[in-house]
Amino acid sequence: MNQIDARGYSCPEPVLMTKKALKELGKPLTVLVDSETPLQNITRFARNSGHTVASRSLGDEEYEIVIS
Amino acid sequence: MEKIKSHLGIILTGLIVGAVSVVLVAFGNPLNMGFCIACFLRDIAGGVGLHRAAAVQYIRPEIIGLVLGALIMALAGKEFKVRGGSSPMARFVLGFCVMVGALMFLGCPLRMVIRLGGGDGNAILGLIGFILGIFIGTLFLKKGFSLKKSQPQNRVEGTLMPAVAAALLVLVAAAPAFLFFSQEGPGSMRAPLLLALAGGLIVGALAQRTRLCMVGGIRDVMLFRDWHLLMGFLAIFAAVLVGNLIVGAAGARGGFTPGFAGQPVAHTDGLWNLLGMVLVGLASVLLGGCPLRQLILAGSGNSDSAVAVLGMVVGAAFCHNFGLASSAEGPTGAGKIAVLIGLAVAAAIGGLNLNRKK
């Protein structure tokens, strides 16, 4: 599975990274983030673009977002 | 339906921000200045004597409330996260640039929206410039602009900005003689301390929760066709407009007065209103958010945003020490040069931080 690590980046960069990865690597894509803001923003972006989104907490405010 | 529901929080927040702004004006804040992050940081810089412009000196409780409101909400939502180290010096300089642009226009993006809702036509030019600046900023983002990763830091690092806010609150409440309080001009127009503090706390908490951001709204539409944050922006405008009409009809302080000439704490030089806000838009996109958002993040443990806020404070002091800030009479020659330099500096920071392989 394709994976990008957006931990440490502040928005909108994680969303831009996701957009780029979807275009270049395709689905399914896993994105790692470490704050609530990119989690919400990426989820909203992916849903708006018609993808299916699932996310789970990895603890310590880290999240794994799976876009398919 | 589901869609509308997901936007409800940001719309409500926008409406409340607008309403609080109108109330703060009705109770004494300068007209069309219920909130203005740039103006209020400038007032604080004056209040502690970093500049000596006698008309704009006051430790604004709204700013203190915004930071502490964001802190409380972040702690309550387990979102207080101490991070930093993402190009702090670039953020300081960009914060400085934001302030140079904002004091050319006479307002941050939030006050621009509030001015629009008060009928100030000059803010239309500001808005056009703001959109243009954001557009330029998104070009840098699309080319891979990044201020690089932040790192987890010691808790102290994220607590210092809220601590500074708390210290300022003690200072303004105790009002020792070494502080500066404007006797006339915008700095002398103020809502009662507790009301201003409460307004800041409410807006700070809500803005933390919803990520309200004036720059983010327009930016996200350009980048992702995402209208979420822009709805907050529009809601503020709607609430201020309606609030001003009500206040005007009731004969209270404030009201809706359409026109260009004689607008409160504003000037009519369209070109420089526009260029000032181009700089604010560009530098804010590179910072990742508008001045309000920087304050909120600074209250939520983000030391990078705290540095950007410090850049704005120092920028404000420079603007008034060296005659760069506009007044009701219009912009100054030195201010125009400063805006042009600011645009060059922001563009250079943008261009030198492009990261092609990401």
Side-chain angles (χ1 to χ4, degrees), chain A residues 39-61:
Chain A
L39 169 68
Q40 288 176 8
N41 288 345
I42 290 173
T43 303
R44 201 168 59 238
F45 163 72
R47 289 226 170 100
N48 285 347
S49 324
H51 304 294
T52 307
V53 188
S55 58
R56 66 187 182 99
S57 171
L58 303 176
D60 197 25
E61 253 210 82

Side-chain angles (χ1 to χ4, degrees), chain B residues 8 31 42 44 55 101 115 137 145 156 191 209 237 241 253 256 297 299 305 310 323 337 346:
Chain B
L8 205 60
L31 293 172
R42 181 266 320 272
I44 290 178
R115 280 173 62 173
F145 170 81
V156 177
R209 194 89 278 260
F237 171 72
L241 178 64
R253 190 177 146 76
F256 179 77
L297 285 169
S305 289
L310 293 181
I337 295 169

Side-chain angles (χ1 to χ4, degrees), chain B residues 57-139:
Chain B
Q57 295 173 321
Y58 176 45
I59 297 178
R60 290 274 175 191
E62 291 89 343
I63 296 285
I64 298 167
L66 287 169
V67 172
L68 297 181
L71 170 75
I72 293 165
M73 188 57 108
L75 287 173
K78 297 207 179 351
E79 292 190 56
F80 185 80
K81 192 154 195 192
V82 181
R83 302 209 65 116
S86 154
S87 310
M89 203 54 215
R91 289 178 191 273
F92 183 93
V93 173
L94 287 170
F96 194 112
C97 291
V98 166
M99 189 56 87
V100 169
L103 291 180
M104 167 58 73
F105 168 71
L106 293 175
C108 72
L110 177 55
R111 181 170 190 246
M112 178 189 74
V113 180
I114 292 171
R115 280 173 62 173
L116 286 169
D120 182 344
N122 304 298
I124 298 171
L125 277 302
L127 177 62
I128 294 169
F130 187 53
I131 294 171
L132 197 62
I134 293 173
F135 175 72
I136 299 168
T138 60
L139 296 181

Side-chain angles (χ1 to χ4, degrees), chain A:
Chain A
M1 173 127 62
N2 302 316
Q3 180 168 325
I4 54 170
D5 183 358
R7 287 176 297 179
Y9 290 98
S10 53
C11 276
E13 282 184 57
V15 190
L16 282 165
M17 290 162 79
T18 304
K19 188 179 178 184
K20 195 162 167 241
L22 279 172
K23 207 160 124 193
E24 290 171 5
L25 306 173
K27 299 191 281 189
L29 177 73
T30 305
V31 186
L32 294 177
V33 297
D34 62 354
S35 129
E36 184 86 10
T37 309
L39 169 68
Q40 288 176 8
N41 288 345
I42 290 173
T43 303
R44 201 168 59 238
F45 163 72
R47 289 226 170 100
N48 285 347
S49 324
H51 304 294
T52 307
V53 188
S55 58
R56 66 187 182 99
S57 171
L58 303 176
D60 197 25
E61 253 210 82
E62 294 198 353
Y63 304 90
E64 181 190 71
I65 308 168
V66 181
I67 301 170
S68 53

Side-chain angles (χ1 to χ4, degrees), chain B residues 167-192:
Chain B
L168 286 172
L169 181 59
V170 172
L171 280 177
V172 70
F178 59 80
L179 291 180
F180 296 84
F181 288 85
S182 294
Q183 300 302 315
E184 54 181 8
S188 70
M189 302 173 192
R190 40 207 191 222

